[in-house]
Amino acid sequence: VLAVAASLLLLSASFLARERFEIRNTAPHTAAALPAAEAGADWPNYGGGARADRHSSLGQITPANVAGLEVAWVTHTGDHKRKMTFEAPPLKIGDTLYLCSGSAWVFALDPVTGKIKWRFVPPTTSVRITACRGVTYAALADVPAGTPCATRIFALAPNAQIVALDAQTGAVCDG
């Protein structure tokens, strides 16, 4: 039994070693603190605000008008290679929605039109995932605004590593 367990552990370790991104420039950064207020025009965290209470103080949609809502737009991600589910709430930061698909593709959308601003497709791996549980946003306090990767979207790649993307362009960030 011990030999079988050791073999499985060795096999798992060799499989994971093949499926890694190269991690470069691991210099630490400081994330700017997000306000503890309720989610308002933005939805910067899972659950809305820092308390994750899933409440917005916006008053545009009310119990009186909710029945009259109509679909404003539909976006097709192009990620339809296999059966998957969408299980993550998008984040809204400024004029952009950020979300991920079942294959761990990450998207930035215009919240008014649904047009895709950028798309990140992770390198193909043999690991199969069918759901993405969400993305995370950070503004780095020690990186000047307007500098590449000053604001980042973090997502889990299919190989179980975290990838940092420039929130403005979708380019992979170093470090």
Side-chain angles (χ1 to χ4, degrees):
V1 173
L2 187 56
V4 172
S7 298
L8 288 174
L9 182 61
L10 185 59
L11 180 62
S12 297
S14 66
F15 172 74
L16 290 174
R18 289 183 298 129
E19 300 295 340
R20 297 193 175 191
F21 289 113
E22 178 184 344
I23 298 175
R24 297 164 282 164
N25 186 9
T26 57
H29 293 286
T30 305
L34 292 172
E38 295 178 349
D42 283 347
W43 195 266
N45 303 322
Y46 171 81
R51 293 188 314 244
D53 58 7
R54 296 180 181 92
H55 174 76
S56 172
S57 59
L58 297 177
Q60 186 177 7
I61 299 171
T62 67
N65 68 14
V66 72
L69 292 178
E70 297 178 4
V71 175
W73 48 260
V74 174
T75 295
H76 298 280
T77 65
D79 183 7
H80 47 74
K81 293 184 266 184
R82 57 187 171 264
K83 183 179 179 182
M84 63 192 74
T85 60
F86 180 78
E87 298 182 10
L91 301 183
K92 182 187 175 287
I93 312 295
D95 65 351
T96 305
L97 285 176
Y98 299 98
L99 59 121
C100 57
S101 69
S103 294
W105 294 11
V106 181
F107 301 89
L109 304 178
D110 180 305
V112 175
T113 66
K115 180 181 177 189
I116 296 174
K117 293 181 172 187
W118 57 256
R119 171 186 297 132
F120 171 76
V121 178
T124 303
T125 70
S126 60
V127 179
R128 292 181 51 117
I129 63 170
T130 58
C132 176
R133 300 292 196 267
V135 296
T136 302
Y137 171 83
L140 303 181
D142 59 342
V143 179
T147 302
C149 294
T151 55
R152 298 179 183 200
I153 298 298
F154 292 91
L156 186 63
N159 62 358
Q161 290 199 352
I162 296 173
V163 61
L165 305 170
D166 184 311
Q168 302 306 310
T169 66
V172 176
C173 299
D174 288 334

